[in-house]
Amino acid sequence: MSSILTLSFLEVEKRLSQAQKALLFCFSKHQRTNYIDSYFLWYEGDTNLDKINLESDNYDFELAGIIVDGNLTCEKILNYETDYGVNLIVLGHLNADFIAVGGQQVFVQEDLTVQHLFVGSYNHGNLDVLGDFNCPIVVLDDYDCLVRGEFYGNVLGWGKTIELLHDGETQYVPDGDYDFEDFFDEPYLNAWGSINFSLIVSDIAHDIDVLRKYVLNPETDSITPEIIIESSKSSVFQGISTDEYVGVYSTKYKSHITDNSMELSILEYDDSFKYSLIGNQVSVFHKNSEDTEFVKLTLGSNVYRKAKRVLLAI
């Protein structure tokens, strides 16, 4: 069992090399005054923990970070808050089963290995790995991730991907040939392809499997006539038929309604969805910027699942 020291900012600063301090956000010149009155929890030597909660609200306000002066093995490392949190600095290797973090720096001086899932949410936080990063599924939701070794796994997300820094040159890991729907069921997905980060963190904390495999249930997964009829009453469709899209922020809507048919269309950036109801028959179509025509969707497909979330989000 490693011993735990409570050290002031200045005491920690004396223990770190110039190279280490240059890489750590909390020791950067423009942040130094913000942390000067803070303290750190310093774990001496290799450390094994069941869980690390990086929520600032769980600690004194003055706690700036947790530093492990050795290797860290931890089942779960979690942080609900995407705006801020307790920094985590590992001066050796870090091995974990799950990591889901938001608003703080996570720094690993050697290799980072995550057995199941890494999720980083929002641009107030970042991950910096000096060694290799091994993880089968990495989800980055507008989150910075810099790896100075190699990356082994699949990355998908919104806004950003993994940066590899080799000999001063930056390369970007391409998104894996996957959709969020390949790894998550509906509770963990929002309408336009982003993740329900807080629910993912909560369920990991409560030992609920967030990587459930999707199994089609035609009765519950279908877009029913009732869903289309109810959606058509929304103010975004203006309550009338129109051949022109009506904008609501970045999303645009139009509807074409007759006595025995209804067609609702939703456009968001490069994705267009069309929902057709004729009599009691529902058909769903999709088109992106590269398509010239709408393509009919198959019940249970990833895009169909997204089309339902988009319609239900109105």
Side-chain angles (χ1 to χ4, degrees), residues 5-66:
L5 305 177
T6 300
L7 301 178
S8 69
F9 180 94
L10 295 177
E11 290 172 325
V12 170
E13 195 172 39
K14 292 177 182 178
R15 291 173 177 241
L16 298 176
S17 68
Q18 291 297 326
Q20 289 169 330
K21 286 183 285 189
L23 294 169
L24 295 173
F25 173 78
C26 46
F27 288 89
S28 61
K29 183 177 180 180
H30 70 287
Q31 286 293 329
R32 195 176 188 279
T33 55
N34 294 334
Y35 288 97
I36 193 67
D37 295 325
S38 301
Y39 72 94
F40 291 80
L41 295 179
W42 181 285
Y43 287 77
E44 289 195 313
D46 294 345
T47 302
N48 289 273
L49 300 170
D50 293 331
K51 181 174 71 172
I52 296 179
N53 191 322
L54 297 176
E55 290 289 310
S56 295
D57 292 346
N58 291 333
Y59 306 94
D60 294 339
F61 179 75
E62 292 80 10
L63 177 63
I66 296 171

Side-chain angles (χ1 to χ4, degrees), residues 242-276:
T242 176
D243 292 328
E244 300 292 333
Y245 279 106
V246 177
V248 179
Y249 299 109
S250 62
T251 310
K252 299 179 180 180
Y253 305 86
K254 68 178 179 178
S255 60
H256 186 77
I257 302 172
T258 66
D259 290 340
N260 61 357
S261 69
M262 183 176 296
E263 184 177 280
L264 308 180
S265 299
I266 304 175
L267 169 65
E268 171 82 5
Y269 297 114
D270 294 331
D271 279 310
S272 298
F273 292 99
K274 182 167 65 176
Y275 310 84
S276 173

Side-chain angles (χ1 to χ4, degrees), residues 20 23-24 46 68-72 88-95 106-114 127-134 146-151:
Q20 289 169 330
L23 294 169
L24 295 173
D46 294 345
V68 178
D69 188 16
N71 301 320
L72 172 62
L88 175 63
I89 299 164
V90 180
L91 302 179
H93 298 277
L94 170 55
N95 291 275
V106 177
F107 174 86
V108 183
Q109 185 163 297
E110 301 294 340
D111 296 336
L112 168 60
T113 300
V114 184
L127 171 68
D128 193 348
V129 181
L130 269 61
D132 295 338
F133 183 13
N134 298 269
L146 180 64
V147 177
R148 300 163 196 266
E150 300 295 337
F151 170 68

